């Protein structure tokens, strides 16, 4: 595929779905539609859903598929402007001031204009995302926005509305071409409506069994077909048990990989008990499945799969 073809945007919903599928991301019609519209309308895409359902992966795959840089802002509690947007290279500025003093330069305005210039500006992810390279705007992933506070959300409003950032010493920096913005949240708290209004929205569901089975085939090609079916059926049933943290697609892939490494051809209670750490991440959930409930689920899975053969 040429660079021009790779970086061009898909022309339809079907092309969008095919583009993701070519890089092993299986998107349903609803996701393909909202992603196509986000690209076409140049609007940020706001993705909500449980952890591990593939929200972050959408941005990564989109970056590869369109051959565009991926700029990731990983959100966390206490994230501020200096970490997310920009900061000044203070050591270099101080050195420049001392050199100016040593050379006898006394024009304060000239020194200030020099030290607060682009060459001393350290661009963090937000400012990097507003800088297109070779006419190709990057994919800007704002990951787990719900981990930040409302003050940082409010700051992002200018970025998402006008694709610009104001640096007091330099003025307003505006993107020549808007970046492709993907925002993810695990919904640990509600994000303000003012931010959501600037985006198109999609809730990313857990995949259905047939889709998850195809994901295993693509991501873990060495996994035995019969084992893959058992894994998917088992995980699908676990998600109905109201666990503290249901396994996501990422955990399904990890479990399938682990069982393949152990040369397993089928699930059995002992192997499930020994490998649950690849699938479940909380001890209460693991203890529950290691008990009688795990065996009951396995018996149901085997019985249902046998009935469909």
């Amino acid at each position: 595929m040429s660079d021009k073809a790779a970086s061009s945007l898909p022309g339809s919903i079907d092309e969008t779905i095919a583009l993701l599928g070519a890089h092993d991301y299986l998107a349903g019609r609803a996701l393909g539609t909202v992603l196509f519209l986000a690209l076409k309308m140049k609007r940020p895409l706001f993705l909500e859903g449980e952890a591990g359902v593939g929200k972050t992966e959408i941005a990564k795959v989109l970056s590869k598929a369109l051959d565009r840089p991926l700029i990731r802002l990983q959100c966390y509690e206490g994230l501020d402007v200096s970490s997310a947007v920009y900061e000044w290279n203070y050591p270099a500025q101080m050195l420049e001031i001392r050199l100016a003093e040593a050379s006898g330069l006394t024009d304060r305005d000239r020194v200030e204009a020099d030290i607060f210039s682009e060459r001393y500006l350290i661009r963090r992810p937000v400012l990097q995302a507003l800088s297109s390279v070779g006419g190709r705007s990057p994919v800007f992933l704002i990951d787990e926005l719900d981990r930040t506070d409302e003050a940082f959300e409010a700051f992002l409003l200018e970025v998402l509305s006008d694709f610009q950032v104001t640096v007091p010493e330099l003025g307003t920096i505006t993107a020549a071409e808007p970046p492709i913005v993907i925002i993810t949240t695990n919904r640990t708290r509600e994000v303000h409506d003012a931010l959501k209004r600037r985006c198109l929205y999609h809730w990313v569901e857990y995949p259905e069994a047939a889709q998850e089975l195809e994901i295993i085939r693509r991501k873990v090609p060495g996994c035995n077909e019969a084992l893959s079916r058992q894994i998917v059926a088992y995980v699908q049933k676990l998600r109905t048990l109201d666990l503290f943290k249901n396994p996501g697609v990422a955990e399904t892939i990890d479990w399938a990989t682990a069982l393949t490494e152990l040369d397993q051809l089928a699930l059995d209670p002992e192997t499930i008990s020994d490998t649950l750490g690849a699938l479940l991440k909380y001890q209460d959930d693991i203890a529950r499945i290691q008990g009688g409930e795990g065996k009951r689920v396995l018996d149901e899975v085997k019985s249902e799969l046998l009935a469909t053969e």
Side-chain angles (χ1 to χ4, degrees):
M1 182 181 293
S2 68
D3 289 345
K4 183 178 181 181
S7 60
S8 61
L9 299 180
S12 66
I13 297 170
D14 289 335
E15 284 185 22
T16 304
I17 295 172
L19 185 73
L20 297 178
H23 291 77
D24 293 332
Y25 192 97
L26 304 181
R29 187 77 182 177
L31 175 57
T33 300
V34 74
L35 181 55
F36 168 72
L37 291 173
L39 295 173
K40 194 76 172 176
M41 298 166 63
K42 297 184 178 181
R43 295 280 296 280
L45 177 56
F46 190 96
L47 300 173
E48 276 191 323
E50 300 293 338
V53 294
K55 303 183 297 297
T56 300
E57 191 68 15
I58 292 172
K60 293 180 179 179
V61 169
L62 202 58
S63 170
K64 292 178 183 177
L66 298 177
D67 189 28
R68 297 185 183 219
L70 174 65
I71 296 173
R72 179 172 181 170
L73 175 61
Q74 182 61 56
C75 298
Y76 55 87
E77 186 177 352
L79 180 65
D80 58 13
V81 171
S82 64
S83 299
V85 189
Y86 76 94
E87 63 179 323
W88 293 105
N89 188 340
Y90 293 116
Q93 287 176 317
M94 290 302 299
L95 179 60
E96 182 66 23
I97 291 172
R98 289 171 182 169
L99 289 173
E101 291 173 346
S103 66
L105 183 63
T106 58
D107 188 339
R108 181 174 178 178
D109 290 340
R110 179 179 169 185
V111 173
E112 184 175 340
D114 187 40
I115 64 173
F116 287 109
S117 60
E118 282 276 357
R119 66 188 177 123
Y120 294 106
L121 184 68
I122 300 174
R123 294 174 178 262
R124 297 305 185 194
V126 172
L127 207 50
Q128 291 172 17
L130 300 180
S131 306
S132 59
V133 179
R136 293 182 298 127
S137 60
V139 175
F140 183 30
L141 169 62
I142 303 175
D143 208 15
E144 298 184 323
L145 178 62
D146 50 325
R147 293 182 179 273
T148 64
D149 55 27
E150 292 184 2
F152 188 75
E153 270 186 48
F155 169 80
L156 284 179
L157 296 180
E158 180 185 16
V159 177
L160 300 179
S161 294
D162 304 314
F163 297 106
Q164 65 182 31
V165 165
T166 301
V167 179
E169 299 84 355
L170 294 178
T172 300
I173 299 174
T174 305
E177 181 184 353
I180 298 169
V181 182
I182 304 292
I183 303 171
T184 76
T185 168
N186 296 330
R187 209 174 187 181
T188 58
R189 70 170 179 84
E190 285 294 331
V191 173
H192 199 279
D193 287 345
L195 190 143
K196 284 187 175 183
R197 283 198 302 270
R198 287 158 171 79
C199 310
L200 300 186
Y201 175 87
H202 183 74
W203 175 269
V204 183
E205 297 277 5
Y206 289 115
E208 296 181 354
Q211 187 179 17
E212 194 160 21
L213 180 60
E214 182 60 26
I215 291 171
I216 295 298
R217 286 170 179 155
R218 294 190 181 209
K219 297 292 187 180
V220 195
C223 189
N224 176 274
E225 180 68 17
L227 176 62
S228 297
R229 292 181 179 278
Q230 290 183 0
I231 289 171
V232 169
Y234 196 89
V235 171
Q236 293 272 327
K237 279 198 173 293
L238 288 187
R239 291 180 185 140
T240 68
L241 297 182
D242 193 28
L243 298 173
F244 184 78
K245 170 63 179 69
N246 286 332
V249 180
E251 285 76 31
T252 305
I253 293 170
D254 284 346
W255 197 35
T257 303
L259 293 171
T260 301
E261 291 293 334
L262 294 174
D263 297 322
Q264 285 295 125
L265 298 178
L267 292 179
D268 60 72
E270 183 178 357
T271 301
I272 290 174
S273 179
D274 291 343
T275 59
L276 275 178
L279 186 64
L280 303 175
K281 307 303 178 183
Y282 288 88
Q283 178 55 32
D284 289 349
D285 290 341
I286 291 175
R288 177 178 175 183
I289 300 305
Q290 283 177 331
E293 193 153 15
K295 184 178 183 305
R296 177 187 63 78
V297 171
L298 180 59
D299 289 342
E300 288 182 5
V301 165
K302 289 188 173 182
S303 176
E304 291 174 6
L305 289 176
L306 186 62
T308 60
E309 291 179 356

